[in-house]
Amino acid sequence: KITSYNPFANVFLTIRLLYFLYFVAFGVFVTFIDIYFRSIGFTGVQIGTINSVMALVGIIASPIWGA
C-alpha cells in the first residue's frame, strides 16, 4: 500500500478550524448583541436602526473591500 504525505494537511486543518471558530463567534455576537443593546436602554427602533446600518455597511463595503 502506497501512502502519500500531504505537507499542507496541518495548514488546511488550521484554516478550517479558524473559519469554524470565526463563524461560531459571529453567530454568538449576532444572537446576543440585541439583548445587550436592550440591557443598556436602547429602544426597539434604535436597535433596528443599528442592525440595518450594520447590514448596509456590509453591502456597501464588500465590493470596496474585495470580498
Side-chain angles (χ1 to χ4, degrees), residues 1 4 6-7 9 16-17 19-20 27 37 40 44 48 55-56 63-64 66:
K1 182 177 179 181
S4 62
N6 184 357
R16 282 186 270 176
L17 180 63
Y19 264 92
F20 175 76
F37 286 151
I40 61 174
L56 184 62
I64 296 169

Side-chain angles (χ1 to χ4, degrees):
K1 182 177 179 181
I2 298 174
T3 60
S4 62
Y5 173 72
N6 184 357
F8 298 107
N10 288 337
V11 174
F12 293 142
L13 179 63
T14 303
I15 290 171
R16 282 186 270 176
L17 180 63
L18 288 174
Y19 264 92
F20 175 76
L21 292 175
Y22 170 78
F23 284 110
V24 166
F26 185 74
V28 170
F29 171 79
V30 169
T31 302
F32 291 107
I33 193 68
D34 294 336
I35 297 169
Y36 171 72
F37 286 151
R38 179 65 75 172
S39 73
I40 61 174
F42 285 11
T43 65
V45 172
Q46 291 171 323
I47 295 171
T49 302
I50 291 170
N51 288 335
S52 299
V53 168
M54 286 192 299
L56 184 62
V57 167
I59 291 170
I60 293 171
S62 289
I64 296 169
W65 189 267

